[in-house]
Amino acid sequence: MGTPKTVLDLPLSTKDRAPHFLRSNSTQKMGPASLALSASALLLLTLAISGCKPVGPNYQRPAPATETPALYKETGASNVPPPPNPANGSWSPANPSDGMLKGKWWEIYNDPQLNQYEERIATYNQSLHAALETYFAAREQVRIARAAFYPTLSAGPGVNHAKVSSHRPLTIPATSTITNYNDLTLEGQASWEPDFWGKIRRTVESAKAAAQASNADLANVELSLESELAEDYFELRGLDTQKQLLDSDIKALNDQLDLTRRRLKGGIGTGVDVAQALTQLDTERAQLIDVGIARTEFEHAIGSIAYYKLSDFNIAADPLEMGSKTVLPTVPTGLPSQLLERRPDIAAAERRAALANAQIGVAISAFYPTITLGGGGGFESTHGGTWLQGPSSLWSLGGQASELLIDGGLRHAVTQQARDNFEANASTYKNTIVVAFQEVEDKLSDLRILEQEEEAERAAVADAQNSLDISNQRYKGGVTSYLEVTTAENTLIQNQRTEANLKSEQYAKTVELIRSLGGGWDTTQIPK
């Protein structure tokens, strides 16, 4: 990598400027030939820098700790279609992005209210705004680092009037005829540290990787907020289902209580039956209150993420559909090999490994001399009329080099520290990949097992309903006590609530799977 072209557009030429400290009181003037020679030498030096290879290792993406699988293991859920089959032992999809989530992934649920809440995150959520500003700051750091490629220029006029003491040491009265004079100056200075060893290039490389990592962090924060809101939303809907069930059960238990009281008045029932019916009714009412508390907390969480005024924010009840197999959206998983390009946390970890690698080059550059070129020029006169004339011009060129000889092992320690940091970041990147695959496999297995559990639970609900119907008939016929009805009723209620929990959990697990797959994000969205 060479020095940017913009640096080459600023060669030191005639009237080039050096730092003020390089210009002596008696400025030396050079002839045209000497001046042209100096300028040509500096130009050649600048051109030579562009071909210098920066010190330190060039970055290579660390290889994953384990081989990427060809297929996900835990497939089988009906709403998670398998990826395309391998052809001739290798994957060859027509388009790597086919069958993958894109953009506003939450729209696959076809829920307008959820869409409305999700859309507000990008505009109003302050956690996301903080992450965005952090990325902007990291992006500006790249510009700060690039500024070191260019010379620093400064200029300014100076006007002084001075009187020389007639009694100063070594004064010869006969020659000291001027004791008052003006000093009018108009000078500029330039200083430039050529990037011989690539320190600036490695610093820019490091800053750019840091900005890209920050951009991936931003995407990860956004995905986390979106998925958290969606999970809370479906948990709330599941509680709406439970409330619907409890309301229905409480109505049925009220009817049962009326029945036991009529039977007691008729001399058929007992006071124990009435007490049992009343106890069960009060228990259901208490559980309904618990459901209301949990629902309120989820409502607050959704309002906070979507940045609503909580005192005015309400979500109307809308239970998940009951009585049939849960209809979940289809979640395309894509190929396992694509996961490395789709997870923002993996991308952030990889970019931080690149950042750490560039810092090795920055540390190694400290072993090489520091070379600074400079120049200065302008006009100086004692009278305004001759201030900007040719004879009043002055200029100087200069350069210096310095090399640290003894530092007590500091540079060696800093370089080794940079290498250790790279290895640490490389290991973090590899581990992030391992965890990512684990999360996807976990969610796939969760959905597969929950689907099986839901099917078994639906059968259990049907059986419990049948058992309750039989117990009610037996109780009304005087064959059994109300305890049997109570037991059957509790069994049905418990199974109905379990079925409702399974439904909301399945929706939440699809959200978690989408998050594990990276949502609709991929590494092409990282600024280059």
Side-chain angles (χ1 to χ4, degrees):
M1 184 188 301
T3 305
K5 182 178 178 181
T6 49
V7 176
L8 301 182
D9 293 337
L10 297 171
L12 297 173
S13 57
T14 306
K15 300 293 183 180
D16 284 335
R17 301 164 176 84
H20 186 74
F21 66 84
L22 294 176
R23 184 171 53 83
S24 63
N25 291 332
S26 57
T27 304
Q28 299 294 321
K29 295 187 177 182
M30 301 173 63
S34 299
L35 180 60
L37 182 61
S38 299
S40 299
L42 290 173
L43 180 59
L44 290 174
L45 178 63
T46 303
L47 294 172
I49 293 171
S50 65
C52 292
K53 179 181 178 181
V55 297
N58 290 327
Y59 176 69
Q60 292 184 348
R61 179 180 295 190
T66 59
E67 184 179 355
T68 302
L71 286 170
Y72 290 114
K73 174 186 176 184
E74 298 289 347
T75 55
S78 59
N79 67 312
V80 183
N85 292 323
N88 299 323
S90 62
W91 295 104
S92 55
N95 187 335
S97 64
D98 286 348
M100 291 171 60
L101 293 162
K102 298 180 179 68
K104 300 177 180 180
W105 54 265
W106 53 85
E107 293 181 350
I108 67 174
Y109 293 99
N110 294 317
D111 189 319
Q113 193 164 18
L114 174 62
N115 295 345
Q116 175 186 338
Y117 299 150
E118 294 284 1
E119 293 287 353
R120 288 179 58 88
I121 292 177
T123 305
Y124 298 106
N125 187 273
Q126 295 304 298
S127 295
L128 184 61
H129 181 72
L132 178 63
E133 293 299 331
T134 299
Y135 163 62
F136 286 158
R139 188 178 62 180
E140 293 306 314
Q141 187 60 41
V142 179
R143 296 179 60 187
I144 293 171
R146 283 177 176 158
F149 280 124
Y150 302 94
T152 58
L153 305 175
S154 63
V159 178
N160 292 290
H161 179 77
K163 176 182 181 300
V164 179
S165 171
S166 300
H167 298 146
R168 64 180 176 177
L170 305 179
T171 300
I172 304 175
T175 60
S176 300
T177 58
I178 301 177
T179 58
N180 290 274
Y181 66 92
N182 297 319
D183 187 11
L184 309 178
T185 60
L186 180 61
E187 296 182 75
Q189 293 83 34
S191 179
W192 180 40
E193 185 177 327
D195 192 28
F196 280 108
W197 326 121
K199 176 182 178 180
I200 300 174
R201 280 168 282 174
R202 292 301 190 196
T203 302
V204 171
E205 183 182 329
S206 175
K208 185 176 180 180
Q212 291 171 332
S214 181
N215 183 268
D217 288 339
L218 169 65
N220 199 41
V221 170
E222 185 171 18
L223 178 59
S224 297
L225 290 168
E226 292 167 351
S227 60
E228 182 180 348
L229 187 148
E231 285 186 66
D232 290 346
Y233 181 82
F234 289 121
E235 291 285 356
L236 181 142
R237 291 308 183 203
L239 291 171
D240 286 342
T241 303
Q242 291 198 40
K243 182 180 184 300
Q244 183 183 55
L245 290 171
L246 288 169
D247 286 338
S248 177
D249 289 337
I250 288 173
K251 182 179 182 303
L253 289 173
N254 269 315
D255 294 340
Q256 291 282 8
L257 179 60
D258 290 342
L259 176 61
T260 57
R261 285 171 172 168
R262 289 196 303 270
R263 287 171 62 85
L264 178 62
K265 289 181 180 179
I268 301 175
T270 65
V272 173
D273 292 343
V274 174
Q276 288 175 339
L278 186 58
T279 299
Q280 190 172 11
L281 176 60
D282 288 340
T283 300
E284 292 294 299
R285 286 171 175 167
Q287 291 177 354
L288 182 61
I289 294 173
D290 283 342
V291 167
I293 293 172
R295 187 189 190 279
T296 300
E297 291 179 350
F298 280 115
E299 185 178 69
H300 293 166
I302 293 169
S304 296
I305 296 174
Y307 212 69
Y308 282 98
K309 185 179 179 181
L310 294 184
S311 59
D312 300 330
F313 180 66
N314 293 288
I315 301 177
D318 186 13
L320 293 174
E321 184 180 356
M322 294 287 290
S324 62
K325 189 173 182 180
T326 302
V327 179
L328 295 170
T330 298
V331 181
T333 60
L335 304 176
S337 59
Q338 295 168 333
L339 188 64
L340 290 102
E341 305 298 324
R342 294 169 56 181
R343 294 253 312 205
D345 58 337
I346 292 178
E350 186 273 330
R351 288 290 79 202
R352 289 190 169 91
L355 181 160
N357 183 82
Q359 286 299 314
I360 298 175
V362 174
I364 292 175
S365 67
F367 287 93
Y368 294 84
T370 300
I371 299 174
T372 304
L373 304 177
F379 299 90
E380 184 174 20
S381 178
T382 59
H383 299 286
T386 59
W387 190 3
L388 301 180
Q389 294 181 359
S392 299
S393 65
L394 57 89
W395 60 265
S396 64
L397 293 173
Q400 64 179 16
S402 63
E403 169 68 7
L404 183 61
L405 300 179
I406 300 176
D407 63 0
L410 175 63
R411 288 171 294 177
H412 287 281
V414 170
T415 301
Q416 186 56 46
Q417 182 186 53
R419 295 186 187 277
D420 294 338
N421 284 335
F422 169 74
E423 292 298 332
N425 280 275
S427 295
T428 298
Y429 166 64
K430 295 175 184 179
N431 187 64
T432 304
I433 294 174
V434 172
V435 172
F437 278 109
Q438 175 194 336
E439 289 179 355
V440 173
E441 295 288 6
D442 284 348
K443 306 316 169 190
L444 289 172
S445 64
D446 288 346
L447 285 170
R448 175 175 55 80
I449 295 170
L450 284 171
E451 187 174 289
Q452 297 170 355
E453 188 178 356
E454 184 207 12
E455 185 176 352
E457 192 57 45
R458 282 190 291 111
V461 169
D463 293 339
Q465 183 65 59
N466 184 50
S467 175
L468 177 61
D469 292 342
I470 295 173
S471 294
N472 276 326
Q473 292 174 3
R474 284 165 54 82
Y475 176 65
K476 290 176 182 178
V479 178
T480 186
S481 68
Y482 189 71
L483 178 61
E484 180 179 310
V485 175
T486 301
T487 302
E489 183 81 37
N490 286 336
T491 301
L492 174 60
I493 292 172
Q494 185 61 42
N495 280 281
Q496 286 176 329
R497 294 190 68 183
T498 300
E499 183 183 16
N501 280 332
L502 287 172
K503 288 182 181 295
S504 61
E505 190 173 358
Q506 282 180 292
Y507 274 97
K509 290 300 180 183
T510 59
V511 174
E512 292 176 13
L513 175 60
I514 291 170
R515 177 177 177 177
S516 299
L517 293 169
W521 188 87
D522 61 70
T523 53
T524 60
Q525 299 180 43
I526 292 182
K528 301 304 181 184

